[in-house]
Amino acid sequence: LLLFFFCAARSTMSSEHPPLLNVDTVVGYVLEYFRKCPEDAPTGLLEASDNLKAREIEGGNLNYSFIVEDIDNGSNSSAPASVFVKQAPNFVKVLGPSAELARERMKLEVATFQEWSQVLDKSTSSSFLPKIFHFDED
C-alpha cells in the first residue's frame, strides 16, 4: 500500500512559492496537512507525531522523494504509520535550477492515477495504485 503526497515547487530562488522540502522540513509539511484534515491521516500517524522521521529516497533524477514514518514502528500496530512525499521542482533535480523542466508533469501524474482509479475496480485500484492524500500545486 502506497500513501502519497504530491507537491510541486519552484526553485528556492523564488519567494512566491514554498521552498524545496528536505528531511528537516518534510515532517512538518505532512503534519500541517493532516492536522487540518485528520480524517485523511493514516492510522497512527498523528498519534506518532513526536516519533516521525523523514528519509530521502535516493536515486531519483527529476524529483525529490521522501518517506515520513513512525521511527518506533507503531508499537501497537503491525505496520508503521508512514507516507511517501514526492516533490517536483521546476528543474531537473540532478542538474539543478539551470536545467528547467515543467512542473506540470506532477499534475499529469496525479491525473493519470485518478483516471486509472476510476477505470479499475476498487479492489484492483487499492492493490496497485497509491492513495493520494494531497496534491499541492504551489
Side-chain angles (χ1 to χ4, degrees):
L1 176 63
L2 300 173
L3 309 172
F4 271 74
F5 257 80
F6 287 96
C7 51
R10 297 206 178 201
S11 166
T12 55
M13 296 177 205
S14 170
S15 61
E16 296 178 27
H17 297 276
L20 294 172
L21 295 170
N22 60 49
V23 294
D24 296 322
T25 61
V26 70
V27 171
Y29 177 83
V30 168
L31 286 174
E32 180 181 346
Y33 171 76
F34 283 129
R35 285 183 176 134
K36 290 178 188 173
C37 303
E39 66 281 358
D40 290 344
T43 302
L45 188 85
L46 287 174
E47 295 79 8
S49 63
D50 291 338
N51 297 320
L52 295 178
K53 183 173 179 154
R55 59 185 167 90
E56 186 170 0
I57 306 301
E58 301 289 328
N61 294 320
L62 299 177
N63 304 306
Y64 293 89
S65 301
F66 307 91
I67 296 282
V68 175
E69 60 191 338
D70 177 0
I71 57 172
D72 282 346
N73 200 22
S75 56
N76 294 329
S77 66
S78 59
S82 64
V83 293
F84 177 81
V85 179
K86 184 174 184 179
Q87 186 177 33
N90 64 339
F91 57 86
V92 178
K93 174 186 165 184
V94 297
L95 300 177
S98 63
E100 294 181 6
L101 186 63
R103 294 178 326 128
E104 288 71 24
R105 68 189 187 277
M106 189 65 69
K107 185 186 287 188
L108 294 171
E109 185 174 343
V110 170
T112 299
F113 282 131
Q114 290 171 338
E115 184 175 333
W116 288 348
S117 70
Q118 292 174 359
V119 171
L120 299 172
D121 64 77
K122 188 173 182 173
S123 175
T124 303
S125 178
S126 64
S127 296
F128 294 103
L129 297 177
K131 178 177 180 181
I132 299 173
F133 288 108
H134 180 64
F135 174 55
D136 182 352
E137 291 188 55
D138 291 331

